[in-house]
Amino acid sequence: FHKRLSGSAPGAMLGAVAFGAMLPICSCGVIPLAISLYRSGVRLGPVMAFAAATPIINPAAVIISLALLGPQVTLVYVALGLTLPLLLGVFVQRWGDQPHPPPLVVGLGDCCSSQADCCGTTPVPAVPSATAWQRVVRGVHWGLTDLGPTIAFYMAFGILLAGVIAAFLPPDWTETYLRENSFTALAAAGVLGASLYVCAVAHIPLVATL
């Protein structure tokens, strides 16, 4: 997975969208995974494409959309669900941040052939690979002490903002703005959709109800 996203630009972008479209993860759950990929050296373009595709579309949502919304709407949903994350990744790749450089590891044979004295330095003994349990402990420790505090503030702010919007949104707002056949109705639907925390599977019945 990591190797696929770290490859060439077109292949990495397509792989990020494909992997994201296959995982049933919500928009909140994908953020820690995307941050982990970026910090491990994956370029920002594929990371953003993966983060956008994952909450938009997945196979279960496509099946439910086909049953509730019909083939024409589902075809548009699938096309945009794959195209928009790809475009986002391309834009970010073009104007976004630079990738994190991988750590440079120099072996004994890279500077001289003598293992006793490599360019005037003492050879460093090989570090044994970590066991599976050690990797799990380090991963949990990193998630609780580094990743968790980093995103907790932003998640809390987003939850509070969504609660304020839900509390003060007038009940007749939907009837007033979403029934119009105009750009205002589309903008209002976009604002409403961006304010609701609904996963890719659960939003299909909501759309069918509307």
Side-chain angles (χ1 to χ4, degrees), residues 120-135:
T121 60
T122 303
V124 178
V127 179
S129 59
T131 64
W133 174 249
Q134 290 174 332
R135 292 195 298 268

Side-chain angles (χ1 to χ4, degrees), residues 2-3 17 20 34 37 50-51 62 78 80 93 95 110 114 122-125 163 167-168 178 185 188 196 199 207-208:
H2 186 278
K3 182 179 179 181
V17 174
L37 291 175
F50 171 79
V62 173
V78 172
L80 292 180
Q93 187 81 352
W95 293 287
D110 294 335
S114 174
T122 303
V124 178
F168 291 96
L178 295 188
L196 296 178
C199 65
V207 171

Side-chain angles (χ1 to χ4, degrees), residues 1-15:
F1 179 74
H2 186 278
K3 182 179 179 181
R4 177 64 176 173
L5 297 188
S6 302
S8 61
M13 210 72 66
L14 294 175

Side-chain angles (χ1 to χ4, degrees), residues 73-90:
V73 176
T74 302
L75 180 61
V76 175
Y77 167 58
V78 172
L80 292 180
L82 297 177
T83 303
L84 293 180
L86 183 61
L87 293 177
L88 174 63
V90 171

